[in-house]
Amino acid sequence: MRLAAMIVLSLALASCGGESEEARTAGLGPGLWTDETRGGLCVDEGGEAAFILYAETGNANCMAEGRIEVDGEGMTFLPRGDEQCRIPILAEGETLRFGDSGEACAYYCGSDVELGGQTVMRSEARPGTLTDVAGDPLC
């Protein structure tokens, strides 16, 4: 009886530690998602991520580095070092749709581009192929 109580207590304490990084990003997994042009989102094994998404014409873009977290029913992109900005991401099969992130995230986009509504699809390309405007790899 005492052994059973210790096992239950051990399991309860283990569950109090919160979700592991792997559990918080399990809904997405590592890889590359690209749009129909040159933009995309890359995610590594630990949930670290980066994206660049362009306006319909020109080089105006939205770009950030950070991490992806699964939070309840959806996912959120959290830019590195920014406690205010939370960018919702909705998975629709192999497509990811960026949600409206509001004024707290406006810093990450140029004046001619909106992040909300942008979509990317799972790609077989290597994550290192995603680059910024200068041609430097994001991932």
Side-chain angles (χ1 to χ4, degrees):
M1 182 74 161
R2 187 172 198 163
L3 179 60
M6 289 177 62
I7 291 172
V8 169
L9 180 59
S10 295
L11 291 173
L13 288 174
S15 67
C16 291
E19 291 180 291
S20 69
E21 187 68 27
E22 183 178 313
R24 288 189 304 221
T25 61
L28 187 59
L32 177 66
W33 287 258
T34 57
D35 61 15
E36 294 178 0
T37 61
R38 55 192 165 145
L41 165 78
C42 55
V43 181
D44 74 10
E45 295 284 337
E48 290 295 311
F51 68 81
I52 188 165
L53 299 165
Y54 291 89
E56 289 184 30
T57 60
N59 284 329
N61 64 73
C62 296
M63 186 176 102
E65 295 178 346
R67 71 182 190 279
I68 300 281
E69 284 190 358
V70 175
D71 53 358
E73 297 177 17
M75 291 175 275
T76 303
F77 184 94
L78 304 168
R80 187 175 302 134
D82 187 340
E83 299 296 320
Q84 303 301 314
C85 177
R86 299 180 62 81
I87 302 167
I89 299 175
L90 177 63
E92 302 167 340
E94 292 293 303
T95 301
L96 301 176
R97 180 176 308 280
F98 287 79
D100 184 20
S101 53
E103 288 298 313
C105 302
Y107 168 81
Y108 299 100
C109 292
S111 61
D112 296 339
V113 62
E114 295 276 332
L115 185 57
Q118 296 249 16
T119 60
V120 291
M121 295 182 65
R122 175 70 92 166
S123 174
E124 296 299 321
R126 292 182 317 108
T129 60
L130 186 62
T131 60
D132 63 16
V133 176
D136 296 324
L138 285 180
C139 308

